[in-house]
Amino acid sequence: MNVITETEYKEENINENTLVNIQEEYKKTKIQEVLNQLDKELIGLTPVKNRIKEIAALLLIDKLRIKLNLPQANPGLHMSFTGSPGTGKTTVATKMADILYLLGYIRKGHLLTVTRDDLVGQYIGHTAPKTKEVLKRAMGGVLFIDEAYYLYKPDNERDYGSEAIEILLQVMENQRNDLVVILAGYKDKMERFYQSNPGLSSRITNHVDFPDYTAEELLEIGIMMLEEQQYQLTEEGKKVLLEYIKRRMTQPHFANARSIRNAIDRARMRQANRIFNSSNRVLTKKDLVTIEAEDILKSSLFMDK
Ligand SMILES: Nc1ncnc2c1ncn2[C@@H]1O[C@H](COP(=O)(O)OP(=O)(O)OP(=O)(O)O)[C@@H](O)[C@H]1O
């Protein structure tokens, strides 16, 4: 039995007893580091993290199969990320781009995020050049199309979005070795979009659904965001932030973790203001890093009570 090493994948050396050291191959790719980062940087999202691990495992095995000259299904790598705004789709897409790059599926590994306005022109003749320019920039990486369903406007016969979809389809089919497309947006809207565009749907191999966060997960996310910026929330502050989150979740334009990031930014501003206005004394480091309950309670969400 011969164990195939890094360099010796010559056809004559391969027989059915050939061993591939999967651990070694895995280590070489450094994928584990990306998966660890994903685990560390993102609170919750267990089903998403598991899906990404599964996809990574499948892609690794496919690469090994190629090395052993085994037929490979080559299902294509285009993906669909569904979920509400602020549930981590863009963040996970960046990690997916890293994984695809480390495995050698894409040359450059960058992520280009676009929406309808980047692809579709307002006048006749403007859409094709716009879409092609974006595709050119995305080549060798991942093209992330946020709220992809806005590309398709069934009520408007003369909408240029369908022109962009046609070009996209061709590239997704013909240049799939050089570009991975991730279509993202709300789950129900994406499903309707796929029903109206079966050509696109059939080219998507992996669907990943991002659940909304619970209030407790959002609190954890908020605390982590503060810690990343060397701030600390008092125990009373944590209670108030949880209450803030519960109220914010019922408000219009709630965007999961993004709304929390915005709330944290405003709390930091109020903290700075509080310190500034009260200061004719010497400040300690603790003063500078502590966010108090009142920095959150001054939000307009608490004003009516
Ligand atoms: N699970 C999480 N843990 C920590 N931070 C998170 C988590 N999910 C999202 N975030 C943070 O929330 C912000 C929004 O996330 P992201 O942009 O990835 O969401 P999205 O689903 O792509 O939203 P949209 O589609 O509206 O752009 C980012 O700052 C990200 O770091």
Side-chain angles (χ1 to χ4, degrees):
M1 260 195 270
N2 53 336
V3 179
I4 288 281
T5 58
E6 201 171 336
T7 45
E8 293 186 343
Y9 286 96
K10 290 197 189 102
E11 216 163 319
E12 60 270 25
N13 292 338
I14 295 168
N15 60 50
E16 63 186 38
N17 292 323
T18 302
L19 295 178
V20 178
N21 189 335
I22 191 156
Q23 284 304 335
E24 193 185 301
E25 293 293 328
Y26 188 69
K27 267 198 219 133
K28 266 193 303 191
T29 63
K30 298 203 172 84
I31 289 178
Q32 192 59 49
E33 282 168 32
V34 180
L35 294 176
N36 288 347
Q37 272 176 14
L38 197 68
D39 257 340
K40 211 173 109 218
E41 288 169 20
L42 294 178
I43 305 282
L45 282 184
T46 309
V48 172
K49 289 171 179 171
N50 288 342
R51 275 293 281 137
I52 300 299
K53 278 178 208 158
E54 273 171 23
I55 296 171
L58 185 70
L59 294 176
L60 176 69
I61 296 295
D62 269 356
K63 275 279 152 179
L64 296 180
R65 285 174 63 96
I66 296 172
K67 285 187 173 180
L68 295 185
N69 296 327
L70 286 167
Q72 182 233 12
N74 191 9
L77 296 167
H78 305 308
M79 299 179 201
S80 172
F81 282 9
T82 50
S84 311
T87 46
K89 299 184 295 296
T90 314
T91 312
V92 173
T94 314
K95 297 286 182 263
M96 197 67 234
D98 290 343
I99 291 172
L100 292 168
Y101 172 71
L102 289 173
L103 282 169
Y105 281 97
I106 46 180
R107 272 182 299 125
K108 297 194 203 158
H110 61 300
L111 180 92
L112 182 64
T113 303
V114 296
T115 58
R116 177 191 161 95
D117 287 350
D118 301 298
L119 298 165
V120 182
Q122 299 209 339
Y123 308 100
I124 194 158
H126 284 201
T127 299
K130 246 182 143 171
T131 303
K132 285 178 185 163
E133 175 56 33
V134 165
L135 287 166
K136 201 168 120 192
R137 281 198 285 139
M139 278 303 157
V142 173
L143 177 64
F144 183 89
I145 308 180
D146 208 4
E147 304 213 81
Y149 28 79
Y150 289 134
L151 285 177
Y152 178 68
K153 295 199 169 160
D155 310 338
N156 186 350
E157 251 178 59
R158 297 183 60 87
D159 182 58
Y160 302 124
S162 47
E163 203 180 328
I165 294 177
E166 279 309 311
I167 299 171
L168 203 60
L169 272 175
Q170 278 173 22
V171 172
M172 282 167 81
E173 188 58 36
N174 301 333
Q175 280 165 277
R176 59 183 165 161
N177 290 332
D178 206 21
L179 177 73
V180 172
V181 176
I182 300 182
L183 302 175
Y186 285 105
K187 189 171 188 186
D188 50 347
K189 288 189 184 174
M190 287 302 283
E191 277 168 5
R192 264 178 270 138
F193 174 62
Y194 289 135
Q195 273 162 21
S196 320
N197 294 276
L200 263 181
S201 173
S202 67
R203 284 171 180 81
I204 304 284
T205 359
N206 289 300
H207 290 261
V208 185
D209 191 40
F210 290 65
D212 281 344
Y213 295 116
T214 62
E216 287 70 22
E217 282 173 332
L218 289 170
L219 174 64
E220 259 192 83
I221 291 174
I223 294 171
M224 192 178 82
M225 286 172 173
L226 280 170
E227 280 171 1
E228 272 168 9
Q229 301 174 61
Q230 311 285 315
Y231 280 92
Q232 263 163 21
L233 194 55
T234 59
E235 283 310 307
E236 193 52 29
K238 286 179 190 167
K239 281 188 207 145
V240 173
L241 182 57
L242 184 62
E243 177 57 26
Y244 171 94
I245 290 167
K246 286 180 180 165
R247 291 182 188 205
R248 183 67 188 88
M249 285 170 95
T250 65
Q251 300 273 316
H253 310 297
F254 171 65
N256 284 279
R258 179 126 38 73
S259 295
I260 305 309
R261 190 174 284 290
N262 294 340
I264 297 288
D265 287 346
R266 285 193 299 272
R268 281 176 39 227
M269 212 145 68
R270 285 190 215 104
Q271 182 245 26
N273 224 7
R274 172 171 58 78
I275 295 177
F276 189 73
N277 289 331
S278 70
S279 77
N280 48 14
R281 62 188 177 100
V282 179
L283 290 174
T284 63
K285 188 172 170 197
K286 190 156 185 271
D287 292 326
L288 292 176
V289 300
T290 306
I291 304 275
E292 305 274 0
E294 63 175 289
D295 301 325
I296 296 158
L297 278 170
K298 286 208 174 107
S299 153
S300 59
L301 275 186
F302 291 103
M303 288 304 165
D304 54 341
K305 302 275 158 176

